[in-house]
Amino acid sequence: MSKNYQAIVIGAGPAGSSAALTMARAGLDVALVERGSFPGEKNMFGGLLHRMPSLEKIFPDFWERAPLERHIIKKGVTFMTGDSSFSTTIEAGSFDKPPYNGYTVFRPRFDRWLAEEAVAAGATLITSSTVDQIVLKNGKIAGVTILGRSGQLNAPVLVAADGVLSFTALKAGLRKPTFDPAQMAVGVKALIDMPREMIDERFGLVRDQGFANEFVGCTEGVRGGGCFYTNYDSLSLGLVFHLASLRTSGKTPYDLLNAFMEQPQVAKMISGGRLLEYSAHLIPEGGYDMIPELVGDGIIVAGDAAAFCNATGLNLEGINLASHSGVVAGEAVIAAHRAGDFSKQGLTAYKKLLDESFVIKDLKQARNAPHMLHNNRIYHEYPEMMCNFMENIYKIEGIPKQNVTKLFLKSAREKVGLGNLLADGFSAWRSL
Amino acid sequence: MNIDEIFDNTSFTIDREAHIVLNYEICTGCDNRGCVNSCPARCYTWSQEEQKMTFVHDGCLECGTCYVVCHKNAFTRWRYPRGGFGVAYRMT
Ligand SMILES: Cc1cc2nc3c(=O)[nH]c(=O)nc-3n(C[C@H](O)[C@H](O)[C@H](O)COP(=O)(O)OP(=O)(O)OC[C@H]3O[C@@H](n4cnc5c(N)ncnc54)[C@H](O)[C@@H]3O)c2cc1C
Ligand code: SF4
Ligand code: SF4
């Protein structure tokens, strides 16, 4: 098999399909190559789909078209220590009115749908095909070779949308040969089957309403956190670990997930459910400083491949950044075709458009935060301090009560140390 | 929950050809072996008595953790399975 295209997109995740869709709509003959037997087969996430500015522009009816689960009306944070936890939730009226702020989705369904939209616009989807090598002709990019359906695809320009490890960017010399474990995290997730009515009743939901909760202090001291989401008739329960911390902890992701599921308060949330699927995937958490070279001669890097993930807030944002960068990559390739210039110079529109968008602006803004998140106290001492403090506030033991400020300072002194509290408060404030 | 059940719920199309191949000699001299505990699919097993590393690619979730965690680049091959093979998520 050897076929000619005007562009090849590697990877049919949100970045790749958005790129292929954009190019196909402009009339380019584009190949969208995916190693899974269908797009989304290899992909997992937390997860919440946030607002998708670029796809909402392409499809004004995006939120009716896309295969979505519940929209999130209630968000919570839980600080956990051993068998105690302290939670806060917010349920806002505005969260229950369109445009909704976030939806739960399943990747095998969502990614497949988005790739099909690209095909409907004229893109050629080639599944069960792992891109192997970049083919050069006279020193210039001329195509790729495939493992699976063996063969070669030819095109003068590539979009590397092959996800977090991007071997395409590596082979093009755009990313470094090794990753820093301090800039990567791994997420593991259990999908739990539960009847819809049971979910509605248990979490106080009606219609298509959903609940999302984040956890801190649930990883036995390993830097990381937990998340919980309601789908129509299943629950997603996951843990995320920073690799630099996990690799030296001696602890395993599945034992920690198991312990998390057995923690008394979590056990109550999922009781009566049945495990459906277990999955794992890396998250590029290094932010702005992790971004590789974005453009080379005949190649653009988009999505997770370019480390476009914003993991510094309470929300993990990736799909929205991936999709936007994919659209912009598509636009840059269209411009390059018009000018007949696929050199690095001819593709620089990509960088310019990204710099002006929320993708780069948000990542720049969050630049200080990864350091804050590498502070071990956030994962261990603070959840302990919160739980200890709240436990003491509510205790009525028939002995004279202590003043609330004193109680707080006592918990803080015992669990964190006052100097640390001040220092951490300062760096949290600075990273905002 | 029984931990083995976790792994039983994920589907695979197993390729005879391993997509990850280790140079076990490097593992024998390794001072960290973070891969053993970090792999979410229990693909790495270190035997203390035999001083021997065993790697099984069958249940690999293709998450990428070992690729990042191994600081000695012990891989004679680390790539994704050939198209159509490997882990197959249904919903997640
Ligand atoms: C645990 C976890 C929780 C997350 N939670 C959220 C969340 O709540 N909200 C959010 O917005 N984001 C979340 N993310 C991040 C989000 O999933 C990613 O940022 C997003 O999927 C990136 O899209 P992408 O298209 O760049 O890459 P991917 O989705 O990884 O897609 C890459 C595609 O390329 C294919 N591929 C790879 N190599 C090859 C090859 N050689 N040949 C052919 N095909 C190839 C893959 O099979 C895949 O389909 C989460 C991620 C994880 C791991
Ligand atoms: S970290 Fe690398 S060298 Fe060490 S045991 Fe694991 S795979 Fe082998
Ligand atoms: S890719 Fe992930 S699941 Fe596969 S062997 Fe490496 S760490 Fe284990």
Side-chain angles (χ1 to χ4, degrees):
Chain A
M1 175 178 79
S2 174
K3 264 211 81 183
N4 302 323
Y5 296 92
Q6 289 179 293
I8 298 168
V9 177
I10 300 139
S17 290
S18 301
L21 175 68
T22 305
M23 289 185 244
R25 282 167 62 102
L28 288 193
D29 187 11
V30 53
L32 177 60
V33 191
E34 167 59 44
R35 66 190 187 89
S37 66
F38 63 87
E41 184 187 36
K42 302 288 184 183
N43 303 341
M44 65 80 80
F45 84 140
L48 285 189
L49 188 69
H50 302 103
R51 290 296 298 278
M52 301 282 281
S54 45
L55 289 185
E56 287 175 33
K57 211 160 123 195
I58 296 177
F59 303 122
D61 59 345
F62 176 80
W63 299 108
E64 279 89 60
R65 270 169 110 108
L68 309 166
E69 296 277 314
R70 296 170 183 258
H71 66 272
I72 300 304
I73 56 126
K74 188 152 50 164
K75 283 200 159 208
V77 187
T78 299
F79 298 89
M80 193 170 262
T81 174
D83 60 3
S84 307
S85 62
F86 166 63
S87 301
T88 56
T89 52
I90 165 146
E91 184 169 347
S94 70
F95 288 178
D96 201 20
K97 292 191 191 83
Y100 298 117
N101 190 33
Y103 278 92
T104 46
V105 298
F106 291 129
R107 297 295 302 279
R109 241 178 249 165
F110 180 82
D111 290 15
R112 187 179 211 159
W113 165 79
L114 191 55
E116 277 163 8
E117 290 285 0
V119 170
T124 306
L125 174 65
I126 304 169
T127 55
S128 296
S129 299
T130 303
V131 165
D132 190 26
Q133 300 297 336
I134 296 177
V135 179
L136 298 177
K137 211 164 124 190
N138 303 328
K140 281 195 187 139
I141 284 187
V144 294
T145 61
I146 303 284
L147 288 170
R149 304 181 187 202
S150 41
Q152 186 176 321
L153 305 173
N154 306 314
V157 58
L158 311 176
V159 175
D162 49 346
V164 52
L165 293 184
S166 191
F167 290 105
T168 309
L170 173 71
K171 284 163 189 167
L174 299 179
R175 81 144 163 93
K176 291 194 209 110
T178 53
F179 288 105
D180 178 358
Q183 294 189 321
M184 285 280 200
V186 62
V188 292
K189 176 169 131 176
L191 190 75
I192 298 158
D193 184 51
M194 188 174 281
R196 191 176 173 151
E197 307 73 52
M198 198 163 165
I199 296 177
D200 286 346
E201 200 165 311
R202 186 170 294 180
F203 302 104
L205 307 167
V206 293
R207 290 176 279 116
D208 296 337
Q209 295 180 337
F211 171 47
N213 200 69
E214 315 294 326
F215 296 82
V216 198
C218 53
T219 44
E220 298 184 14
V222 179
R223 289 198 303 257
C227 57
F228 170 87
Y229 303 102
T230 55
N231 310 306
Y232 277 135
D233 46 17
S234 62
L235 307 172
S236 299
L237 188 71
L239 288 177
V240 171
F241 313 101
H242 294 261
L243 288 191
S245 174
L246 179 66
R247 72 192 274 265
T248 52
S249 69
K251 298 196 161 95
T252 72
Y254 40 90
D255 285 328
L256 290 170
L257 183 63
N258 200 41
F260 185 44
M261 292 199 279
E262 285 175 352
Q263 198 276 355
Q265 285 94 53
V266 176
K268 274 196 280 188
M269 294 168 84
I270 62 171
S271 83
R274 188 174 54 88
L275 188 68
L276 284 179
E277 199 160 60
Y278 170 66
S279 54
H281 203 279
L282 284 186
I283 309 169
E285 291 212 335
Y288 189 81
D289 296 320
M290 191 182 172
I291 298 175
E293 291 288 330
L294 294 173
V295 184
D297 287 327
I299 181 167
I300 290 179
V301 189
D304 270 14
F308 293 154
C309 235
N310 192 348
T312 48
L314 268 178
N315 295 312
L316 181 52
E317 293 180 47
I319 298 209
N320 48 346
L321 282 71
S323 180
H324 188 80
S325 64
V327 168
V328 173
E331 285 166 358
V333 171
I334 296 164
H337 261 285
R338 280 204 196 106
D341 179 4
F342 305 107
S343 70
K344 187 172 173 177
Q345 185 58 36
L347 293 168
T348 45
Y350 178 60
K351 278 170 86 166
K352 194 171 154 280
L353 291 169
L354 272 185
D355 280 341
E356 291 161 4
S357 76
F358 72 99
V359 176
I360 296 293
K361 286 197 169 144
D362 285 359
L363 288 174
K364 262 191 188 157
Q365 150 101 8
R367 207 168 178 182
N368 285 321
H371 305 297
M372 183 68 202
L373 294 179
H374 281 203
N375 178 335
N376 276 320
R377 284 188 287 276
I378 292 194
Y379 306 103
H380 201 244
E381 281 84 351
Y382 281 110
E384 229 178 44
M385 176 188 105
M386 291 295 268
C387 290
N388 182 276
F389 171 62
M390 294 310 289
E391 219 174 301
N392 283 322
I393 275 199
Y394 285 116
K395 255 189 196 152
I396 298 170
E397 296 177 305
I399 50 173
K401 292 187 180 33
Q402 279 179 299
N403 153 312
V404 174
T405 316
K406 268 198 192 142
L407 259 181
F408 180 80
L409 290 176
K410 181 166 168 279
S411 295
R413 197 178 301 118
E414 279 173 19
K415 304 293 176 189
V416 182
L418 291 179
N420 288 334
L421 184 68
L422 279 176
D424 294 344
F426 179 69
S427 52
W429 168 74
R430 224 186 27 170
S431 69
L432 287 179
Chain B
M1 196 173 62
N2 178 355
I3 206 68
D4 294 303
E5 283 173 28
I6 284 193
F7 306 108
D8 291 345
N9 285 288
T10 308
S11 311
F12 300 90
T13 312
I14 295 164
D15 194 350
R16 282 164 291 114
E17 195 183 306
H19 58 287
I20 299 174
V21 180
L22 281 168
N23 176 351
Y24 291 122
E25 269 174 44
I26 300 182
C27 299
T28 306
C30 180
D31 57 343
N32 176 281
R33 298 199 189 94
C35 55
V36 175
N37 74 288
S38 301
C39 169
R42 285 199 303 201
C43 293
Y44 293 80
T45 322
W46 171 254
S47 159
Q48 192 60 39
E49 301 97 79
E50 297 171 65
Q51 291 287 302
K52 192 173 158 252
M53 178 65 96
T54 317
F55 174 79
V56 197
H57 74 281
D58 290 8
C60 171
L61 298 166
E62 298 157 36
C63 72
T65 299
C66 55
Y67 180 79
V68 176
V69 156
C70 176
H71 58 308
K72 293 196 173 265
N73 192 13
F75 307 108
T76 40
R77 169 191 289 170
W78 203 112
R79 59 160 170 78
Y80 290 117
R82 291 184 291 173
F85 289 101
V87 71
Y89 295 131
R90 290 157 298 161
M91 38 222 354
T92 281

